[in-house]
Amino acid sequence: MDIQHIKHYSDIETSQDSVLVLGYFDGLHRGHKALFDQAKKIAERDNLQVVVLTFNESPRLTFARFTPDLLLHLTYPKKRYSKFAEYGVDHLYLMDFTSSFSKVSSDDFIKRYIKRLRAKAVVVGFDYKFGNNRTDADYLARNFQGEVIKGPEVRDKGGKISSTRIRQLIFEGDVEKVNNLLGYEFSTRGMVVHGDARGRTIGFPTANLALIDRTYIPGDGVYISDVIIDKKRYRAMTSVGKNITFGGTE
């Protein structure tokens, strides 16, 4: 999969026709995968490249009062890119959702981005909105000379599968249900760092992790987990939160 970071529509250079998938795709959950499954079918039918135009960070950063959690992700970038590739994406275009980009009208977005990406078909979610006038897929279908596919709402017994719902389940510590909605294992990465070295003195040495990715972390508790080191997987227990047994405050 080819990855290109762009700052402006003029940075887009392509010589191949595409089926274009649009959205933010933070967690690339089962609802998102349904869109890519549709895009792959169209690409195979019409001999097109699967292209994604998305954002490095949440568009909410441009509109909402800043809080640190706005910088967090469901899936860290490296894993996110690997999922795009797994879902059949040929070209991934990443850009920042800046205040200037937020002023681009729907018509200009179609003309400057969708057409420049040589889209013959566009796949979006059922609730997709775009442009500074917040138009929807029906508007896109009326103003784009190509096929527009609006993906279905993917649900399970608990309701709509969405990033918002997955975030809430992470906070609640229900990682099993998170994995089910994502369609793959929820994970994060960390660097082993020094702690109090207390565990080794009582026969249970521990690995203290300093997180290196801006990902959401499950609610405080002790979890059955898998730890992957040098591509080898080890069964483990992971404690999230303060070490209250020994009066820990960090």
Side-chain angles (χ1 to χ4, degrees):
M1 181 183 70
D2 177 59
I3 302 176
Q4 294 186 40
H5 294 263
I6 64 173
K7 293 183 177 180
H8 192 259
Y9 68 88
S10 61
D11 296 332
I12 297 171
E13 294 182 2
T14 181
S15 59
Q16 295 177 294
D17 294 340
S18 70
V19 49
L20 176 62
V21 189
L22 296 170
Y24 175 42
F25 309 123
D26 180 22
L28 285 167
H29 52 63
R30 284 166 48 198
H32 294 149
K33 185 177 183 300
L35 301 181
F36 292 101
D37 288 343
Q38 290 184 305
K40 281 197 297 184
K41 289 179 181 178
I42 296 168
E44 292 169 359
R45 182 194 71 191
D46 298 339
N47 193 29
L48 302 172
Q49 297 280 301
V50 178
V51 173
V52 172
L53 173 65
T54 190
F55 308 107
N56 295 303
E57 306 291 346
S58 170
R60 292 176 58 210
L61 277 166
T62 302
F63 302 109
R65 183 180 181 276
F66 176 75
T67 54
D69 65 291
L70 289 176
L71 290 172
L72 299 179
H73 298 274
L74 292 175
T75 306
Y76 56 87
K78 185 176 180 180
K79 185 170 183 177
R80 187 182 180 211
Y81 303 156
S82 71
K83 298 306 289 186
F84 277 124
E86 180 185 326
Y87 293 167
V89 176
D90 297 298
H91 299 281
L92 175 63
Y93 289 88
L94 294 163
M95 64 184 298
D96 292 326
F97 195 103
T98 62
S99 56
S100 60
F101 178 81
S102 71
K103 297 172 184 175
V104 175
S105 69
S106 302
D107 291 337
D108 283 342
F109 182 76
I110 294 172
K111 179 173 63 177
R112 296 175 183 175
Y113 290 89
I114 295 179
K115 289 186 177 180
R116 196 172 181 96
L117 287 165
R118 298 186 57 160
K120 299 300 179 184
V122 178
V123 179
V124 296
F126 73 96
D127 55 355
Y128 178 74
K129 297 286 192 300
F130 73 106
N132 64 352
N133 37 343
R134 300 285 292 161
T135 51
D136 58 14
D138 294 331
Y139 183 89
L140 178 59
R142 292 193 301 270
N143 293 276
F144 166 64
Q145 295 179 339
E147 186 178 4
V148 176
I149 298 89
K150 182 165 60 173
E153 180 182 31
V154 180
R155 304 177 64 90
D156 69 353
K157 292 180 181 179
K160 182 180 76 170
I161 296 177
S162 68
S163 297
T164 299
R165 182 179 166 201
I166 293 171
R167 280 192 291 269
Q168 184 58 41
L169 289 168
I170 292 172
F171 296 146
E172 294 171 2
D174 196 342
V175 181
E176 184 176 14
K177 191 169 290 183
V178 167
N179 289 346
N180 180 263
L181 298 186
L182 286 174
Y184 56 90
E185 293 174 321
F186 175 76
S187 63
T188 191
R189 300 183 302 171
M191 180 182 297
V192 178
V193 296
H194 284 290
D196 295 327
R198 186 183 291 112
R200 72 184 67 172
T201 66
I202 57 176
F204 295 93
T206 59
N208 300 282
L209 294 181
L211 300 181
I212 59 176
D213 295 301
R214 290 185 280 110
T215 49
Y216 292 96
I217 299 301
D220 288 3
V222 179
Y223 297 84
I224 298 172
S225 61
D226 283 344
V227 175
I228 300 171
I229 305 172
D230 293 333
K231 298 183 180 180
K232 292 184 179 180
R233 186 179 289 250
Y234 304 88
R235 204 62 163 155
M237 294 184 72
T238 299
S239 175
V240 178
K242 299 173 184 177
N243 188 354
I244 57 175
T245 303
F246 296 97
T249 57
E250 294 179 312

